[in-house]
Amino acid sequence: MPAAYDDLAGLRFSVLGPVRVWRGDEELDLGPPQQRLILAVLLVHAGQPVPLSELIGALWGEDAPASAANVVHRNVGQLRRVLEPGLPLRATGEWLLRDGGGYRLRVDEECADVPRFRLLVGRAREAVTREDPDAAVRLFVEALGLWHDRCAAGLRRSAGAEPGFAALDRECLSAAAEMADVALECGAAGEVLDLLRVLAPLDPLNEELHARLVLVLAAEGHRAEALAVHRAVVGRLVDELGIDPGPRLRAAHEQLLGDDGQDGRRDQVIDLIRPAQLPNDLPTFSGRDAELAGMLTALHDEHHPMALALIDGMPGAGKTTVAVRFAREAADAFPDGQLFVNLRGFDPSGSVMGTAEALRGFLYALGMPSNRIPPDLDAQTGLYRSLLRGKRMLVVLDNARDVDHVLPLIPGAPDCLTIVTSRNRLTGLVAAEGARPFTLDPMPVDEARTMVALRLGAARSAAEPDAVDEIVAMCGRLPLALAVVSARAAAYPDVPLSAIARELRDAQGGLDAFSYDDTSDLRAVFSWSYRTLSPRAARLFRLLARHWGPDISTPASASLLGVDVRTARAALGELTRTRLMTEHRPGRFQFHDLIRVYGLELGDGLDTEQDRREALRRTADHYLHSAHGIGLVLQPHQPSSPQAPPAPGVTPEVARDRDRAMAWFRAEQHVLHNFVDQAAERGFADHAWRIAVSMQEFFQRQGVHLSWAATMRAALRAARSVDDQVGEARTLRSLAGAHYFMGDTEGALAHLRRTAELLDRLGWVDDQAYVQRNIGDVLARRGQDVYGDHAGAFGYYERAHRLYRDMGHVGGVAISLEGMGVCALRLGRTDEALDLLDRAMGMFRQADDLNGQANCWAEFGEAHLRLHRYEEAVTCLQRAVDMHRAQASLVGEVGSLVLLGDAHVGAGDPVRARGLWQEASALVENSRIHRVGPSLFTPEEVRKRIARLDRA
C-alpha cells in the first residue's frame, strides 16, 4: 500500500456481494444508489482508471442527460467526503483520484476484496503448478470466502455496468470450479463442500459448477443430496432454457451412478465436447442493420438456407465485429458449438496462420487427441469433416487470405454454418461452394452518427451535431477510424468535438483517401495517439512494427529497444494507454494489423536502415540466448555449439526451474516458430536453427510432435538456404526425433542417416556418438511392434558407448549403457540388463541427470516385472513416477504409471492397478502425445489394459 495510505489504513472495501466500506469496525453509509453504483464500478476496476464515459454509461446507458458529466463529478465529490470526513470542498483527497479523463480508486489487496481475491487465486494456481494441492485448496477457500453474493448485489445492474459485474462473477465461478477440481484430486472435498453449497446457488444455471458440487457431495458420501442437486439443475435447464444437460453434468451423473464409462471412452469424449470459441461481442456495437438482416434472412431461408457466408470489405470496415455479432445472433440455431480462428491472412509481419495449424486447433477443440490426428492435411480435413457430419456447428474463419486458405476448414456439412471474413473478394467460394457474399462498405451516415453517440454519450454528441457530422465525414464513415477517433475524444471529455474535427481537417484530407488497396488512410487518426508518446515510446512503437508476431513480451520489447525491462514496461504502458497496442494477455502485447502498417511506414521515414537492422539483431539475439539458456534448464547435459555473445542492450530471459522453463516456451512457442519460419529472408538463418534446436526438449516433454516437426522443417530450410551444414546436421537430427515420436521410424532413420553423412563430411567424430545412439533408439522401436530390432539397436548403442567413453562424456556413457540395458531386457537377457542398467544409474547419478535416473528406475521396474518380483517392481516404478513428475516429463510419467499398474496386477491388487491406468489414460487424453513411457505404449494399449481388467 502506498505511503499516503498510512493515515487511512482503517478503510476496507467490498464489492464481491453488496458494495460496502468499513472504517475500522464501523460500516459507512455510502449514500444514494447512484453514488454506490459509481463506487462499485471503481472497485470492479481494482485500482485502475475508469473513463468518465464508462461511469456515465453505468448510470444511464444510452439515455444519459446533458448534465451527466456534472452529476458524476458531484457524486464523486460526495463519495470523497464519505471516505474522508472533513475533506474541504473540491479537494481531491487520497483515495478517489482524477486519472486522465476519468477516476481511479486507490485500492490494493490490503484494503479491497477484488485485488485480494485475485492475489489469493494467483497464489493458489502457483501452488497447483508446484504440486502442492493442499496449499492450493486453502488459498482457494480463503479467496472464495471473500465472495458473499453476486457482484454489487442489491444495486440495479444497468446495461452499462453489467459487463464488468458479470465478468467478475464469472471470474469467481471459474475459481470455484478450479477449487473443486483440486480438492477432488487431493482428497480434500470436505474442505470445500460447505463453500460450494453457498456458491453454486448464486448461478443456478451454471452446469460446470453444479457438476463439481455433485462430485464433491458424492466424494463426501452425500449421494442422495448429490442426486437431488443434479435433478434440480437439470430441471432448471429444461424449464428455463429448453436444453439438455451438457457433457460435464452428464459425466458427473454417470460417475455418481457408478458407470465408469471406460469402454469406448475415446469416441464418447469426442461426441461430448462442445466448443464455445466465439470472442465476446463488442458492448458498443451499433449499425450494420441491413447487412445483419440480410445474413439472418439468408440463414433462415426455408428453401435454401445459407451454409456459407462470405463477409468481405476494406480494411477497418468491421468485418470481424460484424461476423462475431452475426455468429452470436445465430448461435442458438447451432447447439453443437462454435469454432473460431483468426487466420491472420493479412498480417503485416507475414506470419499467416497455415491451414494445417488452424485445422489442428479445431480438431483439438473438438476433443480429438493428438495421437489420432493424422499428419497429412488431406487426412486431417477428412477427419474434421467426419466429426462434424450430422452436427449443427457454427464455424468462423476470420481474416482469410484466399480460397485455398479456407477450403479445408469448411465442414461441408449441410447443417453447419461457416462464416468467412477477408479483405479480398473470394469469388471462388461463391462459384464453387455456393457462398453468400456480403460486402461491408463504409457505414451509412445515420449509423455512423449513432456509433459516435454511443461511444461519447448522447448528450455530448447532441451538443455539437455539426462537429459530429464533420468527424463522420472526415473518417469516411469507416468503423475502425470512427472507433479510434471516438476513443480519443472520450479520453479527453473537456476537449470540444469541434477541436477534434479541426485536427482532422489539419491532416490535409488523409482520411478521405480510403480505397480497397490502400491502408495509408488512417495515418491522421493514428497520429493523434502517436504524437502523445514520449520519444522512447514512439521509437519502440516504430521498432515493434518490425517484429514477426503474433505478439511480444515485455522482456523481448526491452531487448528490441536496447533498454532495461522497467523502461520498456513504462513505454509499453504508454502504447496500451493510447490504444496503439493491446495487452491481450498479462505481459504480452499485440498490434492491430493497420496500426502495425502505420508503424512500419513511420519507421521507414524516421529510422535509419542501420537502426532497424540493429533492433532486429537485438531481438533475434534475445530469443536465441533466452531459448538456449532456458533450454539448458530442461536438458542441462545437452551439448551445444559455440555462439557469439548477444549484442549490447540485450538482456536474455532466464528460468530458475523446469516449470518456469516450460511456461516460457509455451508462451513463446508461436513467436519462435514465426521467427524460424521467416529467418532466412530476414538474414538470421544461423539464429533460426539454433533457436529451433533449443526448443527440442520442450517439444518432447510437451508432446507436441507435429509442431516440433513443423519448426524443425522451417529451421532446416533456413540452414540449407545459406549452405550451413552444421545447422543442417543439428536440425535433421532433431527432426528425426519428431518423426520417431510420431511413430514414423522410417522417416526418422532416413534423417539420421543423412545426419551421419553430414557429420562424416564435417569430420565431427564426437557428434557421431549422438547419432549412433539415436539410430539405436529408432531400431529398438521400429515398426508397429514396440519390440523392434533390439539386436541391431544393441550394436549401435555399443558403438555410441565407445565414442562417448573416448570423449569422456559421462552423460553419454550413461545413456548408451541404458540403451544397451533396455535392449538386453527385451532380448530376454535379464541379468545382463540389470547389470547394464545398474552401471547406467551410477553414471546418471555422477552426471546429476535426474531424467536419466527416472528412466533407469522405470527400466529396473520392468526387469523385475519380467522376473515376477512384483514388490521390487512396485518400488522401482513408484520412484520412476515421482521423478518423472518432478521433471515435468509427461511421457515418462504416463509410461511409468502403466508399468506400475502392471506390477500391482502381479502383486494381486487389481483395484490399485485400475486406478493407475485410469490416471494414465486421463493424462494421455488431455495431452497431445502419441506414445508414452520407456516402452512407448500407445494410448489405445492403455485403454485395452483397463478393458481386459474389466472383463476379468
Side-chain angles (χ1 to χ4, degrees), residues 10-25:
L11 284 186
R12 291 177 291 115
F13 299 82
S14 174
V15 74
L16 297 177
V19 58
R20 305 172 73 181
V21 181
W22 293 266
R23 180 180 291 107
D25 295 328

Side-chain angles (χ1 to χ4, degrees), residues 265-278:
R265 169 68 61 86
R266 179 164 60 183
D267 293 335
Q268 290 176 9
V269 171
I270 295 168
D271 289 338
L272 289 177
I273 287 183
R274 179 184 182 275
Q277 296 185 330
L278 288 182

